[in-house]
Amino acid sequence: RAFVLHHYLPHDKSIFGKFKDPIYVLIFLATLIPMHGVRVIIFALLLLMLTFPGPPDEFQLINYILLFKGMQFLTSGFIQMASG
């Protein structure tokens, strides 16, 4: 849980630092796969990791929602438009 959350939602790295991390790039590319349900499963697991075992921080939830909606825009919008 901590390993995945620290690599995907680090508190001490900018976007440039995130892209230098191979685990982050792997998870990021997995969320870009335009197959039905892959992105939803990954983000559902992230939400479960954020909410359990204790109540999540408000910043973490807002950051999660913004990431989820941004990825939804990319995969459902641009990538689907480009693929036809």
Side-chain angles (χ1 to χ4, degrees):
R1 175 183 175 267
F3 178 79
V4 173
L5 288 178
H6 179 70
H7 283 284
Y8 193 69
L9 300 170
H11 69 282
D12 57 350
K13 292 183 184 175
S14 68
I15 190 69
F16 304 110
K18 289 180 186 180
F19 278 120
K20 290 180 183 178
D21 184 10
I23 304 297
Y24 173 80
V25 172
L26 182 73
I27 297 171
F28 181 76
L29 291 176
T31 59
L32 287 178
I33 296 174
M35 289 176 50
H36 183 68
V38 174
R39 177 179 38 91
V40 174
I41 290 171
I42 292 171
F43 277 105
L45 288 174
L46 282 173
L47 182 61
L48 284 174
M49 288 181 201
L50 282 174
T51 55
F52 294 110
D57 187 37
E58 184 178 351
F59 174 77
Q60 289 175 331
L61 284 180
I62 291 173
N63 191 21
Y64 168 81
I65 292 169
L66 291 174
L67 283 172
F68 181 70
K69 290 308 219 176
M71 243 355 118
Q72 183 180 17
F73 175 73
L74 282 177
T75 57
S76 298
F78 282 131
I79 294 177
Q80 292 293 338
M81 181 180 66
S83 66

